Structures are given as structure tokens and as C-alpha cells.
Amino acid sequence: MAISSFNDLLGEARSQPRAQRLLLVFAKAELPDFPDDEQRRRFEQGEGGVLVPTVCADKTPDELEDFNALLKEAEQTGAEWDLFFVAGMDDVHGDEEIQNQLSKMTESLQMGNVDSFIAFDKSGEAMSLNG
């Protein structure tokens, strides 16, 4: 199944034979330190920049009714974000392993490695990020 929205992802996660845990990292796009003119121009056009993680969370698919429920929770944090990334894992690991995986995911995103995750915009639609 092609996943085109966060709601598609929730449905797919719920249909898996093993219980799933969704790892979420919300991020804000910012200009890099000391940007050159081209980087600034691209950023102003909505392209480029660096990703700065602002909020991390883990949820089971049953903890979220749909994207609107996730959006409501995200708004309650008060953190700014432009997009969010999701990875899934079997929900058989303890809290320590979940936190370890969230840390690895955050580090990977800070390094610009986004290919292992599904990115979604503020409307819950899947995004394609081109390096």
C-alpha cells in the first residue's frame, strides 16, 4: 500500500500482525549558521535549510484516533514545527529501547539522513524530501 497521509500510516500500522509503536520527531526548518546568498534565497522559497528537532514522541496506533488527534496533541506542546517524521517498530521493547531509538532517529535527522523515515507536512500529507 502506498502511504500518502498520516491516516494511511495509522491504518497500515493497525493492520500489522504484531503491535506497533510509532516514533515521531517534529522538526522546524531553519537557515544554517552563516548561510550564503544561495542558501538564503532557497530557504526563502521554501527549499533547503536545516532540520531542527523540536519534539519527540512515541505512540501506539491505538493512542491516536487520526491525524487531527495528533495535531491537537502537537499544538498543546507549544513547540514550533514545520514537518514531522515517523518510523515504526514492533511494540515489544521497553521504554529504554524506545527512547534509545528516538535518540538515534533525532541524531540521524540532524545529520540530514531522512531516507529511513516517512515525512509528513502540517496537513498530514506525506512529503518527498529531496536532498
Side-chain angles (χ1 to χ4, degrees):
M1 170 185 187
I3 294 174
S4 61
S5 71
F6 185 74
N7 288 336
D8 289 347
L9 178 68
L10 279 177
E12 190 65 24
R14 288 180 182 129
S15 73
Q16 296 303 303
R18 297 178 103 179
Q20 297 293 296
R21 175 74 55 172
L22 300 177
L23 306 178
L24 303 109
V25 176
F26 293 79
K28 181 151 183 61
E30 295 183 355
L31 272 170
D33 291 337
F34 313 108
D36 61 29
D37 290 340
E38 177 65 12
Q39 288 171 317
R40 188 176 305 280
R41 184 191 64 75
R42 288 188 66 221
F43 185 77
E44 288 170 356
Q45 292 179 341
E47 300 173 358
V50 294
L51 295 172
V52 178
T54 58
V55 176
C56 297
D58 68 285
K59 297 283 182 183
T60 66
D62 294 333
E63 290 178 309
L64 295 169
E65 181 179 336
D66 57 16
F67 174 71
N68 289 331
L70 176 65
L71 187 59
K72 185 176 179 179
E73 284 191 35
E75 288 172 349
Q76 290 174 350
T77 68
E80 292 185 37
W81 58 278
D82 296 311
L83 67 161
F84 66 100
F85 296 87
V86 181
M89 64 186 280
D90 289 343
D91 190 18
V92 296
H93 307 284
D95 288 342
E96 186 175 327
E97 180 60 23
I98 291 167
Q99 291 307 313
N100 184 37
Q101 292 302 319
L102 274 171
S103 292
K104 287 181 181 180
M105 186 175 172
T106 300
E107 290 171 13
S108 185
L109 291 169
Q110 287 173 317
M111 303 263 311
N113 301 322
V114 298
D115 294 339
S116 299
F117 315 111
I118 301 176
F120 296 94
D121 65 17
K122 284 191 160 194
S123 64
E125 298 300 313
M127 301 175 63
S128 174
L129 301 178
N130 299 322

